[in-house]
């Protein structure tokens, strides 16, 4: 950036808002994510997804994912490939399980910073990246294997490619309080290379979650129309991106249809796409569920109050720029992204708290707009040159503060690793490992798909199950084999299972533990073998 380097040397504050715009968001995100990378964190679907990725490496089933001896048809494989790649490169370690999500988190923060900087200048850009890095709903999910993190990064990447093709670069020091400078250069109208790269990102998004990636193309077309910039050339470039994306995603989808036929289409298209969109699956919630999630009035709202400052600043930023939105492309884009995804997720029948991750880059950007306006107002009262001094000083203070947090990270990591082991669960896995060496089959008759997956990760054996989330009825377990139950599942009759009185209890984790294993009787007149 012109004027950053002076005779006296490089000023850290000005460098951080100039050429080093990416440094502060990336550093803050990496510091906050690091403690979540270490430790045995197996929340939500993490063990299930990680076991599928692990089996890719162990059994070589990269193209057609497997869960034990069953095919996995629910999701495309890109996120599993990435996790499997980490296992292949670094081995089965706790940190290699969670490292991909930490990287996605950092990349998302940098992308948001770049987009905000492109439209609103260096101050809002750095603030937007840091705001996303401080978003609680992203931080604690670094310990989760969630497709939504990678999916959001890919959608942001596609938007960034289109913006790079359509929007002149902004530079200069804050002049109107938000850091918008004069255009230094205007890129070629609708560069084809950026359109193709956006298509690559779309294709990768379609290989992460079904269909939703195309929403980014619809969003960018709507945005161009709302700001009066939807030319035939630009529409053609977006169309090229969509074609490239579909072409990249098609081979795997067509291959799976040809190989597995109705088994794939029933699970992938009918159940996971149509039924989930219509809310006909187990995760159906009413349209206002996300509003109640934000308010913290539903059980899934885990420490919702930690998000209220960000939502409050985002609402303030929305009000600050609402009147100017008709003439400012960045304002329209961030509003479309935030409100558009929120509405889309609310209309979508199936709802989960982590589905809102895709909205948070927009809330971080809006919060940065509000903070930028506030800083600029304070700086004007200080002196005419106050914006530069205030923002530069704030950037330096931010680096020092992050350094202090970074010094505390080793202690946080040690504490996380110490607190996470689950002895009773590990006892069950040790028993399964010992029985597996004797050649005995273990059947899931009332565990959970997460425990099945963890057992595979730790022992190399995936207990046999009837389907993804359904155990095997005890009467289907062969004589002499082992039938595994979880006490709370059995008591609730979740799977409609029962214990045959002729079966013999051969394992229970602790005297009143929840994991039980029975050996199926071989003959009503003969006692089970030990």
């Amino acid at each position: 950036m012109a004027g950053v380097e002076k005779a006296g040397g490089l000023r850290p504050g000005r460098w951080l808002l100039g050429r080093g715009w990416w440094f502060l968001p990336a550093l803050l995100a990496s510091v906050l994510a690091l403690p979540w990378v270490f430790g045995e964190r197996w929340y939500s679907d993490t063990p299930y997804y990680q076991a599928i990725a692990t089996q890719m490496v162990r059994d070589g089933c990269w193209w057609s994912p497997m869960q034990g001896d069953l095919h996995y048809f629910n999701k495309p494989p890109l996120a599993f490939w990435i996790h499997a790649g980490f296992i292949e490169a670094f081995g089965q370690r706790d940190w290699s399980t969670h490292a991909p999500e930490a990287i996605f988190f950092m990349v998302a923060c940098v992308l948001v910073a770049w987009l905000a900087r492109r439209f609103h200048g260096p101050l809002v850009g750095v603030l937007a990246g840091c705001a996303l890095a401080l978003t609680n709903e992203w931080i604690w999910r670094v310990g989760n294997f969630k497709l939504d993190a990678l999916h959001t990064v890919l959608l942001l990447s596609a938007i960034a490619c289109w913006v790079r093709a359509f929007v002149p670069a902004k530079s200069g020091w804050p002049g109107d309080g938000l850091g918008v400078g004069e255009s230094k250069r205007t890129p070629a109208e609708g560069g084809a290379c950026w359109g193709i790269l956006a298509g690559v990102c779309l294709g990768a998004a379609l290989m992460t979650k079904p269909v939703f990636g195309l929403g980014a193309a619809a969003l960018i077309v709507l945005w161009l129309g709302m700001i009066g910039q939807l030319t035939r050339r630009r529409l053609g470039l977006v169309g090229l991106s969509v074609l490239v994306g579909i072409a990249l995603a098609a081979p795997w989808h067509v291959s799976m249809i040809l190989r597995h036929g109705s088994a794939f289409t029933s699970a992938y298209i009918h159940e996971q796409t149509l039924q989930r969109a219509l809310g006909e699956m187990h995760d159906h919630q009413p349209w206002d569920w996300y509003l109640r999630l934000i308010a913290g009035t539903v059980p899934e709202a885990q420490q919702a109050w930690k998000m209220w400052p960000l939502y409050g600043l985002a609402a303030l930023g929305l009000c600050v720029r609402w009147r100017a939105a008709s003439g400012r492309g960045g304002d329209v884009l961030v509003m479309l992204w935030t409100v558009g995804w929120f509405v889309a997720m609310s209309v979508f029948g199936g709802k989960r708290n982590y589905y809102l991750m895709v909205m948070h880059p927009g809330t971080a950007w809006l919060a940065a707009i509000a903070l930028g306006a506030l800083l600029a107002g304070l700086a004007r009262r200080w002196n005419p040159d106050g914006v530069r001094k205030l923002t530069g000083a704030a950037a330096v203070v931010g680096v020092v503060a992050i350094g202090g947090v970074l010094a505390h990270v080793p202690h946080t990591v040690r504490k996380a690793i110490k607190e996470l082991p689950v002895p009773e669960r590990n006892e069950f896995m040790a028993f399964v490992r010992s029985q597996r060496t004797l050649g005995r089959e273990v059947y899931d008759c009332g565990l959970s798909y997460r425990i099945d997956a963890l057992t595979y990760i730790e022992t190399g054996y995936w207990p046999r199950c009837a389907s993804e989330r359904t155990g095997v009825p005890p009467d289907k377990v062969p004589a002499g084999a082992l039938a595994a139950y979880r006490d709370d599942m059995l008591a609730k009759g979740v799977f409609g299972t029962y214990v045959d009185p002729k079966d013999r209890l051969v394992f229970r984790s602790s005297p009143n533990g929840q994991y039980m294993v029975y050996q199926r009787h071989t003959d009503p007149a003969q006692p089970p073998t030990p």
Side-chain angles (χ1 to χ4, degrees), residues 111-292:
L111 283 170
V112 170
W114 184 89
L115 283 166
R117 185 177 188 270
R118 188 81 176 183
F119 289 102
H120 295 112
L123 173 58
V124 174
V126 172
L127 289 174
C130 291
L132 184 60
L134 293 169
T135 300
N136 182 65
E137 287 294 314
W138 270 74
I139 295 171
W140 76 271
R141 294 192 193 283
V142 169
N144 285 246
F145 183 166
K146 289 295 180 189
L147 307 181
D148 302 80
L150 174 60
H151 194 247
T152 300
V153 166
L154 293 169
L155 296 182
L156 283 172
S157 300
I159 295 293
C161 290
W162 284 316
V163 167
R164 177 61 180 79
F166 300 148
V167 180
K170 298 290 183 181
S171 62
W173 285 96
D176 65 353
L178 295 178
V180 180
E182 296 298 326
S183 174
K184 293 184 66 178
R185 60 187 178 85
T186 302
E189 167 80 11
C193 61
W194 291 107
I196 293 172
L197 188 56
V200 172
C201 297
L202 278 186
L206 293 173
M207 288 294 290
T208 304
K209 297 188 75 173
V211 180
F212 259 99
L214 299 177
L219 185 148
I220 208 71
V221 170
L222 182 60
W223 169 66
L224 289 170
M226 289 180 67
I227 63 175
Q229 298 295 323
L230 184 58
T231 64
R232 183 177 299 178
R233 183 182 180 86
R234 286 173 173 167
L235 183 60
L237 184 64
V238 177
L240 173 64
S241 302
V242 172
L243 291 176
V244 170
I246 293 175
L248 287 175
W252 181 82
H253 289 83
V254 172
S255 170
M256 295 297 284
I257 292 173
L258 293 176
R259 288 186 181 190
H260 306 290
S262 60
F264 173 76
T265 56
S266 176
Y268 185 84
I269 298 176
H270 181 257
E271 179 183 330
Q272 293 295 320
T273 303
L274 296 179
Q275 283 192 317
R276 192 177 287 274
L278 296 173
E280 296 177 356
M281 293 186 65
H282 49 79
D283 54 357
H284 171 70
Q285 300 292 350
W287 69 270
D288 63 341
W289 189 78
Y290 285 121
L291 292 173
R292 292 188 282 119

Side-chain angles (χ1 to χ4, degrees), residues 102-114:
I103 295 171
F104 302 152
F105 178 46
M106 184 176 69
V107 173
C109 294
V110 172
L111 283 170
V112 170
W114 184 89

Side-chain angles (χ1 to χ4, degrees), residues 419-456:
E419 291 178 349
L420 288 171
V422 184
E424 187 173 284
R425 188 194 69 199
N426 293 341
E427 289 174 14
F428 169 74
M429 293 182 185
F431 173 81
V432 171
R433 184 184 293 109
S434 67
Q435 297 303 303
R436 181 60 177 162
T437 59
L438 300 177
R440 290 176 176 169
E441 295 282 4
V442 180
Y443 286 77
D444 171 6
C445 294
L447 296 171
S448 73
Y449 68 99
R450 297 184 182 92
I451 295 300
D452 286 341
L454 273 174
T455 302
Y456 174 76

Side-chain angles (χ1 to χ4, degrees), residues 30-60:
S30 60
V31 167
L32 293 174
L34 191 59
W36 295 89
V37 172
F38 296 92
E40 189 185 341
R41 302 181 185 277
W42 298 112
Y43 305 138
S44 189
D45 289 329
T46 299
Y48 183 53
Y49 287 169
Q50 188 65 22
I52 292 170
T54 301
Q55 191 167 353
M56 286 181 173
V57 177
R58 291 176 179 173
D59 296 349

Side-chain angles (χ1 to χ4, degrees), residues 147-148 151-152 155 209-216 219 273 276-279 283-291 293-294 311 336-361:
L147 307 181
D148 302 80
H151 194 247
T152 300
L155 296 182
K209 297 188 75 173
V211 180
F212 259 99
L214 299 177
L219 185 148
T273 303
R276 192 177 287 274
L278 296 173
D283 54 357
H284 171 70
Q285 300 292 350
W287 69 270
D288 63 341
W289 189 78
Y290 285 121
L291 292 173
L293 178 74
I294 292 172
Y311 289 139
L336 274 177
W337 178 280
T338 310
V339 178
W341 283 120
F342 182 81
V343 171
M345 293 297 102
S346 298
V347 172
F348 193 75
K351 295 178 177 64
R352 297 288 180 89
N353 51 7
Y354 51 83
Y355 286 175
L356 279 191
M357 289 178 70
V358 70
M359 183 187 75
H360 294 143

